[in-house]
Structure formats: structure tokens, C-alpha cells
């Protein structure tokens, strides 16, 4: 419980997320406390990443001595994701052309819909049909269940 928090730090290319869990237990008057530090490393790109060694020092109550433990450093070798490699290898001009084509069709469809609404919206029959479509979405005003509220509303 009194250990310093795990020095996760920052490593370029890795997302580092820490989570601390405190677990306290009492059993017949004895108290036991435990803390778990969970560190998750998420690789953001390909490459070689080194997690540095860490040293912890604490006082061991059982042996009445100051103790030190070292967690060794780790090296992660991250390969390129083959699924992303083929996607990044596509021609950027074709991606831009496809996005322009999609936005052109969306703009044309929106203009046609607006024109139809403008032309047909002047018709009273169309407004009536449109109002009937939205009727299920209107709020309902129900009678209150409390009889005292009912009598107050009628006054």
C-alpha cells in the first residue's frame, strides 16, 4: 500500500495506461491490504520500444530488513500490421477521387430532396400526410395517477 506508484513514464509510439486497485480485507481483527498496479502498453506503430528497468525498495516486516527488488527492462519488437500495410499502400489520388465522388452524390441527393420538399410542401395534402407521419412521435398527456393532483388540475 505504501509503495510508490509504478513509474510508467512516456514512451514515444506506445500508449501507456495505468490502473490501481486497492483490496482491503479484515479477518478476525487482522487487517490485510493489497494494491495492484496494472500497466497496459498499446503499440501505436511498428518499431522497437524499450521499457526501462524499475527498482522498488521497501521494509519487509517479517524479516525486519530493508529490501530491494528490480524489475528488468523489456524490449518490444512490433511488426507492421499486414492489413494496414496494404491499406496504406493504396494510391492517395484514388482515395481523394472516391471521396469527392461520394460527396458529389450526397450533395446532389440533398438538393433533389430539398427541391421535392419545396415543390410538394406547398400542397395542403402533402402537409397533411407529413403531419400524419409524425403523429406517433408527439408527446402524450396522461391523466395523473394521484387523485389529489387530478382535483387540483380540474380547479
Amino acid at each position: 500500500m505504501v509503495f510508490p506508484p509504478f513509474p510508467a513514464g512516456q514512451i514515444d509510439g506506445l500508449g501507456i495506461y495505468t490502473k490501481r486497485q486497492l483490496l482491503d480485507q479484515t479477518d478476525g481483527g487482522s487487517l490485510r491490504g493489497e494494491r495492484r498496479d496494472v500497466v497496459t502498453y498499446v503499440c501505436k506503430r511498428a518499431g522497437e520500444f524499450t521499457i526501462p528497468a524499475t527498482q522498488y525498495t521497501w521494509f519487509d516486516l517479517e524479516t525486519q530488513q530493508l529490501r530491494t527488488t528490480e524489475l528488468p527492462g523489456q524490449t518490444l519488437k512490433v511488426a507492421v500490421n499486414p492489413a494496414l500495410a496494404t491499406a496504406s499502400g493504396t494510391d492517395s489520388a484514388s482515395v481523394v477521387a472516391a471521396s469527392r465522388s461520394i460527396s458529389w452524390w450526397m450533395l446532389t441527393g440533398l438538393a433533389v430532396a430539398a427541391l421535392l420538399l419545396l415543390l410538394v410542401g406547398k400542397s395542403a395534402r402533402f402537409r397533411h400526410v407529413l403531419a400524419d407521419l409524425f403523429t406517433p412521435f408527439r408527446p402524450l398527456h396522461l391523466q395523473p395517477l394521484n387523485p389529489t393532483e387530478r382535483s387540483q388540475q380540474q380547479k
Side-chain angles (χ1 to χ4, degrees):
M1 298 292 267
V2 293
F3 286 117
F6 185 81
Q10 291 183 350
I11 301 173
D12 186 37
L14 291 180
I16 303 172
Y17 305 95
T18 58
K19 179 180 174 184
R20 177 174 296 154
Q21 298 173 338
L22 297 176
L23 307 168
D24 295 334
Q25 297 175 352
T26 57
D27 184 26
S30 67
L31 176 66
R32 179 180 176 198
E34 181 179 337
R35 185 184 87 200
R36 291 182 190 162
D37 290 346
V38 178
V39 181
T40 304
Y41 294 94
V42 177
C43 303
K44 296 181 179 179
R45 59 178 169 80
E48 189 170 306
F49 306 99
T50 302
I51 301 170
T54 303
Q55 199 173 41
Y56 281 104
T57 303
W58 80 96
F59 187 77
D60 187 351
L61 293 174
E62 292 177 5
T63 61
Q64 298 292 316
Q65 292 180 344
L66 194 61
R67 298 192 51 170
T68 300
T69 297
E70 183 172 329
L71 301 174
Q74 297 290 323
T75 301
L76 303 175
K77 295 180 183 178
V78 181
V80 177
N81 184 345
L84 293 178
T86 58
S88 64
T90 58
D91 184 24
S92 62
S94 65
V95 172
V96 171
S99 66
R100 284 185 184 161
S101 173
I102 291 171
S103 61
W104 172 251
W105 281 108
M106 287 174 51
L107 184 60
T108 303
L110 192 62
V112 168
L115 183 62
L116 284 175
L117 283 175
L118 181 66
L119 293 175
V120 181
K122 294 183 179 185
S123 163
R125 182 171 184 255
F126 179 74
R127 283 194 302 269
H128 182 67
V129 168
L130 197 59
D132 287 345
L133 284 174
F134 287 104
T135 299
F137 301 107
R138 290 187 184 143
L140 295 176
H141 300 285
L142 302 175
Q143 293 293 327
L145 296 175
N146 188 348
T148 58
E149 290 180 16
R150 213 178 304 160
S151 63
Q152 290 174 356
Q153 284 185 350
Q154 292 173 354
K155 290 180 183 180

